[in-house]
Amino acid sequence: MVNNTRLPSIRGRLIQSLLWSSVAFGLLTALVVWLVIAHEMGELMDQELRETSEIFHNVLAAQPGFAYGASSATQHFDYEKHLIWQVVDASTGQVRSRSHKAPATALQTAPTAQVAWTADGRWRAFSSAFPQSPRHFLVVAQSRQERNEARSEVVLYTLVAALSMGLFSALWMNWRIRQELRPLATLSHDVQRYDPLHPDTAPRVEPRAELLPIEQSIADLGHRLARRIVSERAFTAHAAHALRTPVAGIDVQLALAIKEAPEPLQPRLQRAREAAGRLGRVMQALLTMFRSGVEPQRQDVDLRQLVDALAFHDMAITIHQHTRLAADPDLLAAALLNLLDNAHRFHARQVTITTLQAGAHSILRVQDDGDGCPPATWALLQQALQQQAYGDGSAMRGLGLVLADLVARAHGGQTVLPECVSGFTIELHWPAP
């Protein structure tokens, strides 16, 4: 069964890490800017107030009539009030002169030696007295709103720049990761089509220090598999020739012995002949399984012709081939041979073989009217099939279910045991071509 669970992706995890790192970098940069530059911006703006106050003071001190007269600057055009100024009479607390956007009430009633906030907390101001007129002093101020706006803009622009650089870096790293992982994807594709018996299909990766050991390991593994397959095929070819004749000879000798033996001995000889026949069928299934090779050779299978060749003449076999069945005939013959033999051993008289189509899967169902199995045994068999538990201690002690499951998995599918009221039912599922 194909596992549809989405597995973690190395590329996806790296890209996600880069994206979150970029966001965290931007936020951390903004925080640092807010904590550090905000303090420096405050000092810078205070220094600006001092310097501007000196400039205004020198200009206004040279024009006493303008500085001390009850007038304000003429509004020639609209502008942002980054800085405003006032000339205040210290004795009366009245504003004698001011910029056109400065408030009419005095921001400070007496000159101060330091930059400080006004009483209402809305202005940051610095004042200085006129030597020619000690009763008057100059106030240069900046609003809290303007100062906060300046800080916010610095933080905002820095955050936007940091996030933009982070996003650009993430996109660039994404492209670089795709480029660097491309040889790995190529290697994966090459491994899928690699046939150890054909060295020309061996993976050829791009020169990368990390992938070279993997390529060498795959080549070594393929070489060992190829040697093992060649040895097994040579063995099975020899075994097929060496074992078929003795088994056939045993069957002939037992048939003659049954005819010539006294009647009380004939049942025993008949059971011996049946056991020899079963041994021959198991041997044929195993040899067919090994001779089939690694990949199944799919072709359209005629079930009636295939089953008739298996020669189970003592059971009634009904075939319902409703759909096209594309499978390896040798592997399918090995599975059916053992499944029919299992049905015969469990006293089945009637076997029904059906082909079905369920979505994109072909289904081969074998159902008999034999003894069946208890629910507890059925559950253990189902679990053993799902876990491919074929070894010692497994519920699948017989060869039939093991071979059937191996054949189904060789076709990219699985074996299922449907619940049935009587008898035994097994289904082989595999993707249709």
Side-chain angles (χ1 to χ4, degrees):
M1 178 181 294
V2 179
N3 188 5
N4 292 325
T5 304
R6 188 173 181 179
L7 298 176
S9 168
I10 296 177
R11 183 180 66 189
R13 290 167 63 89
L14 287 175
I15 293 174
Q16 186 178 17
S17 299
L18 284 172
L19 180 60
W20 285 113
S21 299
S22 301
V23 173
F25 173 76
L27 295 177
L28 181 61
T29 302
L31 179 62
V32 172
V33 168
W34 180 258
L35 295 177
V36 178
I37 300 184
H39 174 70
E40 296 298 327
M41 284 291 295
E43 292 186 351
L44 183 62
M45 287 186 286
D46 287 348
Q47 185 64 28
E48 180 186 7
L49 283 176
R50 291 177 179 271
E51 294 177 355
T52 305
S53 176
E54 292 179 2
I55 296 174
F56 285 175
H57 183 276
N58 293 333
V59 172
L60 295 177
Q63 302 178 9
F66 172 77
Y68 312 141
S71 62
S72 63
T74 304
Q75 181 178 358
H76 299 284
F77 53 85
D78 192 15
Y79 64 92
E80 295 183 7
K81 51 178 181 180
H82 295 289
L83 294 173
I84 57 97
W85 58 270
Q86 293 177 332
V87 176
V88 182
D89 189 335
S91 59
T92 62
Q94 294 181 349
V95 175
R96 307 300 297 172
S97 181
R98 62 185 176 90
S99 59
H100 79 278
K101 285 196 174 183
T105 58
L107 296 178
Q108 291 182 342
T109 58
T112 59
Q114 301 293 333
V115 179
W117 290 101
T118 58
D120 58 3
R122 296 175 55 191
W123 299 89
R124 186 78 168 172
F126 178 75
S127 57
S128 57
F130 291 101
Q132 300 88 340
S133 178
R135 292 190 307 107
H136 296 86
F137 63 92
L138 172 67
V139 179
V140 179
Q142 187 179 30
S143 68
R144 179 184 292 273
Q145 178 182 359
E146 175 61 30
R147 294 171 70 90
N148 291 339
E149 181 180 349
R151 290 193 182 97
S152 301
E153 288 181 354
V154 171
V155 174
L156 177 62
Y157 294 154
T158 305
L159 177 61
V160 171
L163 290 179
S164 299
M165 286 299 299
L167 180 60
F168 173 77
S169 300
L171 293 176
W172 183 78
M173 287 301 298
N174 180 23
W175 178 78
R176 289 297 304 154
I177 289 172
R178 290 177 181 271
Q179 295 296 317
E180 292 301 322
L181 291 181
R182 186 172 57 184
L184 189 59
T186 303
L187 176 62
S188 176
H189 178 267
D190 291 346
V191 170
Q192 289 180 352
R193 64 180 184 86
Y194 177 39
D195 185 354
L197 297 180
H198 297 83
D200 57 313
T201 62
R204 296 290 185 270
V205 300
E206 298 183 26
R208 295 291 189 276
E210 295 81 5
L211 297 182
L212 186 58
I214 300 178
E215 179 188 3
Q216 293 175 347
S217 299
I218 293 174
D220 293 341
L221 178 61
H223 182 63
R224 293 196 300 269
L225 287 175
R227 286 190 301 179
R228 183 169 182 176
I229 292 172
V230 171
S231 300
E232 289 179 351
R233 287 185 176 181
F235 166 77
T236 54
H238 176 73
H241 176 73
L243 297 178
R244 186 180 295 111
T245 301
V247 172
I250 292 173
D251 183 71
V252 171
Q253 294 300 324
L254 288 173
L256 294 175
I258 290 173
K259 292 182 179 180
E260 298 174 357
E263 186 173 351
L265 294 178
Q266 289 184 1
R268 294 184 179 180
L269 293 174
Q270 182 62 37
R271 287 196 295 272
R273 187 185 183 192
E274 291 176 356
R278 181 173 180 269
L279 175 62
R281 291 192 295 272
V282 171
M283 181 195 68
Q284 179 184 349
L286 291 174
L287 293 176
T288 300
M289 190 79 177
F290 281 111
R291 282 202 308 267
S292 63
V294 179
E295 292 293 333
Q297 305 298 318
R298 295 175 184 257
Q299 55 183 282
D300 289 340
V301 177
D302 186 345
L303 272 182
R304 171 56 62 185
Q305 181 180 359
L306 185 66
V307 172
D308 287 346
L310 302 179
F312 277 82
H313 301 296
D314 54 346
M315 289 191 304
I317 301 176
T318 305
I319 296 177
H320 301 294
Q321 187 167 357
H322 301 300
T323 61
R324 168 177 174 251
L325 187 65
D328 188 313
D330 292 335
L331 293 180
L332 197 58
L336 287 175
L337 190 63
N338 283 272
L339 291 177
L340 293 175
D341 185 66
N342 280 357
H344 179 262
R345 289 193 297 114
F346 285 93
H347 311 105
R349 309 304 300 173
Q350 175 72 37
V351 178
T352 303
I353 303 176
T354 309
T355 61
L356 302 171
Q357 188 79 20
H361 283 73
S362 298
I363 300 176
L364 178 65
R365 177 185 297 163
V366 180
Q367 185 174 7
D368 64 56
D369 60 351
D371 299 336
C373 64
T377 304
W378 177 88
L380 291 175
L381 289 175
Q382 187 80 294
Q383 182 180 5
L385 285 172
Q386 292 176 354
Q387 298 176 354
Q388 292 183 267
Y390 306 142
D392 296 337
S394 170
M396 294 192 296
R397 291 182 292 271
L399 186 62
L401 289 180
V402 174
L403 275 178
D405 192 49
L406 289 175
V407 169
R409 294 185 184 277
H411 286 79
Q414 63 174 342
T415 304
V416 178
L417 300 180
E419 297 185 18
C420 53
V421 179
S422 61
F424 189 78
T425 302
I426 183 172
E427 291 182 352
L428 276 65
H429 296 226
W430 63 80

Short mmCIF file of all heavy atoms in Angstrom, two decimals, residues 120-157:
data_model
loop_
_atom_site.label_atom_id
_atom_site.label_comp_id
_atom_site.label_asym_id
_atom_site.label_seq_id
_atom_site.Cartn_x
_atom_site.Cartn_y
_atom_site.Cartn_z
N ASP A 120 3.31 70.95 30.20
CA ASP A 120 2.23 70.09 29.68
C ASP A 120 2.77 68.82 29.02
O ASP A 120 2.00 67.95 28.59
CB ASP A 120 1.37 70.86 28.68
CG ASP A 120 2.17 71.40 27.50
OD1 ASP A 120 3.40 71.13 27.43
OD2 ASP A 120 1.58 72.10 26.65
N GLY A 121 4.09 68.66 28.91
CA GLY A 121 4.68 67.46 28.35
C GLY A 121 4.56 67.33 26.85
O GLY A 121 4.88 66.27 26.29
N ARG A 122 4.14 68.36 26.14
CA ARG A 122 3.93 68.28 24.70
C ARG A 122 5.12 68.79 23.90
O ARG A 122 5.21 68.54 22.71
CB ARG A 122 2.68 69.08 24.31
CG ARG A 122 1.40 68.54 24.90
CD ARG A 122 0.23 69.46 24.56
NE ARG A 122 0.14 69.67 23.13
CZ ARG A 122 -0.66 70.59 22.56
NH1 ARG A 122 -1.38 71.39 23.33
NH2 ARG A 122 -0.68 70.72 21.26
N TRP A 123 6.05 69.51 24.53
CA TRP A 123 7.16 70.12 23.79
C TRP A 123 8.47 69.83 24.52
O TRP A 123 8.54 69.81 25.74
CB TRP A 123 6.97 71.63 23.69
CG TRP A 123 5.71 72.03 22.96
CD1 TRP A 123 4.49 72.21 23.50
CD2 TRP A 123 5.59 72.28 21.57
NE1 TRP A 123 3.57 72.56 22.55
CE2 TRP A 123 4.23 72.61 21.32
CE3 TRP A 123 6.47 72.29 20.48
CZ2 TRP A 123 3.75 72.93 20.08
CZ3 TRP A 123 5.99 72.62 19.24
CH2 TRP A 123 4.64 72.91 19.03
N ARG A 124 9.49 69.63 23.70
CA ARG A 124 10.86 69.53 24.20
C ARG A 124 11.54 70.84 23.85
O ARG A 124 11.67 71.20 22.65
CB ARG A 124 11.58 68.37 23.51
CG ARG A 124 12.98 68.08 24.04
CD ARG A 124 12.94 67.33 25.34
NE ARG A 124 14.28 66.81 25.67
CZ ARG A 124 14.57 66.23 26.82
NH1 ARG A 124 13.61 66.07 27.74
NH2 ARG A 124 15.78 65.78 27.06
N ALA A 125 11.98 71.62 24.88
CA ALA A 125 12.38 73.01 24.63
C ALA A 125 13.75 73.30 25.25
O ALA A 125 14.19 72.66 26.20
CB ALA A 125 11.34 73.97 25.23
N PHE A 126 14.37 74.33 24.65
CA PHE A 126 15.64 74.87 25.16
C PHE A 126 15.56 76.39 25.05
O PHE A 126 15.10 76.92 24.04
CB PHE A 126 16.82 74.35 24.35
CG PHE A 126 18.14 74.89 24.79
CD1 PHE A 126 18.74 74.43 25.96
CD2 PHE A 126 18.78 75.89 24.06
CE1 PHE A 126 19.96 74.95 26.38
CE2 PHE A 126 19.99 76.41 24.49
CZ PHE A 126 20.58 75.93 25.64
N SER A 127 16.00 77.06 26.08
CA SER A 127 15.86 78.52 26.10
C SER A 127 17.22 79.17 26.41
O SER A 127 18.09 78.56 27.05
CB SER A 127 14.84 78.96 27.17
OG SER A 127 15.21 78.47 28.44
N SER A 128 17.36 80.42 25.95
CA SER A 128 18.58 81.19 26.19
C SER A 128 18.22 82.68 26.24
O SER A 128 17.38 83.15 25.47
CB SER A 128 19.62 80.94 25.09
OG SER A 128 19.08 81.23 23.83
N ALA A 129 18.86 83.42 27.18
CA ALA A 129 18.54 84.84 27.39
C ALA A 129 19.33 85.71 26.41
O ALA A 129 20.39 85.34 25.91
CB ALA A 129 18.85 85.24 28.82
N PHE A 130 18.76 86.93 26.15
CA PHE A 130 19.44 87.92 25.31
C PHE A 130 20.29 88.83 26.20
O PHE A 130 19.78 89.43 27.16
CB PHE A 130 18.43 88.77 24.55
CG PHE A 130 17.69 87.99 23.49
CD1 PHE A 130 16.38 87.54 23.72
CD2 PHE A 130 18.29 87.71 22.27
CE1 PHE A 130 15.71 86.84 22.74
CE2 PHE A 130 17.61 87.02 21.29
CZ PHE A 130 16.32 86.56 21.52
N PRO A 131 21.56 88.96 25.89
CA PRO A 131 22.40 89.84 26.72
C PRO A 131 21.95 91.29 26.67
O PRO A 131 22.04 92.03 27.65
CB PRO A 131 23.79 89.67 26.12
CG PRO A 131 23.75 88.35 25.40
CD PRO A 131 22.35 88.23 24.92
N GLN A 132 21.46 91.77 25.47
CA GLN A 132 21.06 93.17 25.34
C GLN A 132 19.77 93.47 26.11
O GLN A 132 19.51 94.59 26.49
CB GLN A 132 20.84 93.51 23.87
CG GLN A 132 22.05 93.32 22.99
CD GLN A 132 22.15 91.90 22.44
OE1 GLN A 132 21.54 91.00 23.01
NE2 GLN A 132 22.96 91.73 21.39
N SER A 133 18.95 92.42 26.34
CA SER A 133 17.68 92.62 27.05
C SER A 133 17.48 91.44 27.98
O SER A 133 16.88 90.43 27.60
CB SER A 133 16.52 92.73 26.04
OG SER A 133 15.30 92.88 26.73
N PRO A 134 17.98 91.51 29.19
CA PRO A 134 17.91 90.37 30.11
C PRO A 134 16.48 89.94 30.41
O PRO A 134 16.26 88.79 30.80
CB PRO A 134 18.62 90.87 31.37
CG PRO A 134 19.49 92.00 30.90
CD PRO A 134 18.75 92.65 29.77
N ARG A 135 15.50 90.84 30.25
CA ARG A 135 14.12 90.44 30.55
C ARG A 135 13.56 89.50 29.50
O ARG A 135 12.56 88.83 29.73
CB ARG A 135 13.22 91.70 30.62
CG ARG A 135 13.53 92.59 31.81
CD ARG A 135 12.46 93.69 31.97
NE ARG A 135 12.26 94.44 30.75
CZ ARG A 135 11.16 94.32 29.97
NH1 ARG A 135 10.20 93.48 30.30
NH2 ARG A 135 11.04 95.07 28.89
N HIS A 136 14.16 89.42 28.31
CA HIS A 136 13.65 88.58 27.22
C HIS A 136 14.57 87.37 27.03
O HIS A 136 15.78 87.46 27.21
CB HIS A 136 13.57 89.38 25.91
CG HIS A 136 12.59 90.51 25.98
ND1 HIS A 136 12.93 91.78 26.48
CD2 HIS A 136 11.28 90.58 25.62
CE1 HIS A 136 11.88 92.57 26.42
NE2 HIS A 136 10.85 91.87 25.89
N PHE A 137 13.95 86.27 26.66
CA PHE A 137 14.73 85.07 26.36
C PHE A 137 14.07 84.32 25.18
O PHE A 137 12.87 84.48 24.91
CB PHE A 137 14.85 84.15 27.58
CG PHE A 137 13.54 83.60 28.09
CD1 PHE A 137 13.04 82.37 27.65
CD2 PHE A 137 12.81 84.33 29.04
CE1 PHE A 137 11.84 81.88 28.14
CE2 PHE A 137 11.62 83.83 29.51
CZ PHE A 137 11.12 82.60 29.07
N LEU A 138 14.90 83.55 24.49
CA LEU A 138 14.47 82.81 23.30
C LEU A 138 14.17 81.34 23.69
O LEU A 138 14.94 80.73 24.42
CB LEU A 138 15.56 82.84 22.23
CG LEU A 138 15.33 81.94 21.00
CD1 LEU A 138 14.15 82.46 20.18
CD2 LEU A 138 16.60 81.90 20.13
N VAL A 139 13.05 80.83 23.18
CA VAL A 139 12.66 79.43 23.40
C VAL A 139 12.57 78.74 22.03
O VAL A 139 11.82 79.22 21.16
CB VAL A 139 11.32 79.30 24.15
CG1 VAL A 139 10.95 77.82 24.32
CG2 VAL A 139 11.38 79.99 25.49
N VAL A 140 13.35 77.69 21.84
CA VAL A 140 13.25 76.86 20.63
C VAL A 140 12.76 75.48 21.07
O VAL A 140 13.33 74.89 22.01
CB VAL A 140 14.61 76.74 19.92
CG1 VAL A 140 14.49 75.85 18.70
CG2 VAL A 140 15.11 78.12 19.52
N ALA A 141 11.71 75.02 20.43
CA ALA A 141 11.07 73.77 20.90
C ALA A 141 10.72 72.86 19.72
O ALA A 141 10.62 73.29 18.56
CB ALA A 141 9.82 74.09 21.71
N GLN A 142 10.51 71.61 20.08
CA GLN A 142 10.09 70.57 19.13
C GLN A 142 8.99 69.76 19.81
O GLN A 142 9.10 69.40 20.98
CB GLN A 142 11.27 69.66 18.75
CG GLN A 142 10.95 68.67 17.64
CD GLN A 142 12.15 67.82 17.29
OE1 GLN A 142 13.00 67.55 18.13
NE2 GLN A 142 12.25 67.43 16.03
N SER A 143 7.92 69.46 19.06
CA SER A 143 6.77 68.76 19.66
C SER A 143 7.09 67.29 19.92
O SER A 143 7.92 66.69 19.24
CB SER A 143 5.55 68.88 18.75
OG SER A 143 5.76 68.15 17.57
N ARG A 144 6.41 66.72 20.92
CA ARG A 144 6.56 65.31 21.22
C ARG A 144 6.12 64.45 20.02
O ARG A 144 6.72 63.44 19.71
CB ARG A 144 5.75 64.94 22.46
CG ARG A 144 5.83 63.46 22.83
CD ARG A 144 4.93 63.15 24.00
NE ARG A 144 5.38 63.76 25.23
CZ ARG A 144 6.26 63.19 26.07
NH1 ARG A 144 6.79 62.01 25.76
NH2 ARG A 144 6.60 63.79 27.17
N GLN A 145 5.06 64.91 19.35
CA GLN A 145 4.56 64.17 18.20
C GLN A 145 5.63 64.06 17.11
O GLN A 145 5.83 63.01 16.52
CB GLN A 145 3.31 64.85 17.65
CG GLN A 145 2.74 64.17 16.41
CD GLN A 145 1.52 64.91 15.86
OE1 GLN A 145 1.10 65.92 16.44
NE2 GLN A 145 0.98 64.40 14.77
N GLU A 146 6.33 65.17 16.87
CA GLU A 146 7.37 65.17 15.84
C GLU A 146 8.52 64.26 16.24
O GLU A 146 9.07 63.52 15.42
CB GLU A 146 7.86 66.60 15.63
CG GLU A 146 9.03 66.70 14.66
CD GLU A 146 8.70 66.20 13.28
OE1 GLU A 146 7.52 66.28 12.87
OE2 GLU A 146 9.63 65.70 12.60
N ARG A 147 8.90 64.31 17.51
CA ARG A 147 10.00 63.47 17.96
C ARG A 147 9.62 61.99 17.88
O ARG A 147 10.41 61.14 17.43
CB ARG A 147 10.38 63.85 19.41
CG ARG A 147 10.97 65.25 19.53
CD ARG A 147 11.12 65.65 20.98
NE ARG A 147 12.17 64.88 21.66
CZ ARG A 147 13.44 65.24 21.72
NH1 ARG A 147 13.83 66.39 21.16
NH2 ARG A 147 14.33 64.52 22.37
N ASN A 148 8.39 61.66 18.31
CA ASN A 148 7.94 60.27 18.20
C ASN A 148 7.84 59.82 16.73
O ASN A 148 8.17 58.68 16.39
CB ASN A 148 6.58 60.09 18.87
CG ASN A 148 6.66 60.24 20.39
OD1 ASN A 148 7.73 60.08 20.96
ND2 ASN A 148 5.53 60.54 21.01
N GLU A 149 7.40 60.74 15.88
CA GLU A 149 7.30 60.40 14.46
C GLU A 149 8.68 60.12 13.87
O GLU A 149 8.86 59.20 13.07
CB GLU A 149 6.62 61.54 13.71
CG GLU A 149 6.44 61.26 12.22
CD GLU A 149 5.75 62.42 11.51
OE1 GLU A 149 5.24 63.33 12.22
OE2 GLU A 149 5.73 62.41 10.27
N ALA A 150 9.67 60.92 14.29
CA ALA A 150 11.03 60.71 13.79
C ALA A 150 11.56 59.35 14.24
O ALA A 150 12.15 58.60 13.46
CB ALA A 150 11.95 61.83 14.28
N ARG A 151 11.33 59.00 15.51
CA ARG A 151 11.76 57.70 16.01
C ARG A 151 11.04 56.56 15.26
O ARG A 151 11.66 55.57 14.87
CB ARG A 151 11.49 57.60 17.50
CG ARG A 151 12.37 58.47 18.38
CD ARG A 151 12.24 58.04 19.84
NE ARG A 151 13.02 58.89 20.73
CZ ARG A 151 12.52 59.92 21.40
NH1 ARG A 151 11.25 60.25 21.26
NH2 ARG A 151 13.31 60.63 22.20
N SER A 152 9.73 56.72 15.10
CA SER A 152 8.95 55.67 14.44
C SER A 152 9.40 55.46 13.00
O SER A 152 9.48 54.32 12.52
CB SER A 152 7.45 56.02 14.48
OG SER A 152 7.01 56.16 15.81
N GLU A 153 9.69 56.56 12.31
CA GLU A 153 10.14 56.43 10.93
C GLU A 153 11.48 55.72 10.85
O GLU A 153 11.70 54.88 9.97
CB GLU A 153 10.21 57.81 10.28
CG GLU A 153 8.84 58.41 9.99
CD GLU A 153 8.96 59.77 9.33
OE1 GLU A 153 10.10 60.27 9.20
OE2 GLU A 153 7.91 60.32 8.92
N VAL A 154 12.37 56.04 11.77
CA VAL A 154 13.68 55.36 11.77
C VAL A 154 13.49 53.86 11.98
O VAL A 154 14.06 53.03 11.28
CB VAL A 154 14.60 55.97 12.85
CG1 VAL A 154 15.85 55.12 13.01
CG2 VAL A 154 14.97 57.40 12.47
N VAL A 155 12.67 53.52 12.98
CA VAL A 155 12.42 52.10 13.26
C VAL A 155 11.72 51.43 12.08
O VAL A 155 12.06 50.31 11.67
CB VAL A 155 11.60 51.95 14.56
CG1 VAL A 155 11.22 50.49 14.78
CG2 VAL A 155 12.39 52.46 15.75
N LEU A 156 10.71 52.11 11.53
CA LEU A 156 9.95 51.52 10.43
C LEU A 156 10.83 51.28 9.21
O LEU A 156 10.81 50.19 8.61
CB LEU A 156 8.77 52.44 10.07
CG LEU A 156 7.92 51.98 8.87
CD1 LEU A 156 7.26 50.64 9.16
CD2 LEU A 156 6.86 53.03 8.54
N TYR A 157 11.60 52.29 8.84
CA TYR A 157 12.45 52.14 7.66
C TYR A 157 13.50 51.05 7.88
O TYR A 157 13.82 50.27 6.98
CB TYR A 157 13.14 53.47 7.33
CG TYR A 157 12.17 54.55 6.90
CD1 TYR A 157 12.47 55.91 7.07
CD2 TYR A 157 10.95 54.22 6.31
CE1 TYR A 157 11.59 56.90 6.68
CE2 TYR A 157 10.06 55.20 5.93
CZ TYR A 157 10.38 56.54 6.11
OH TYR A 157 9.51 57.50 5.72
#
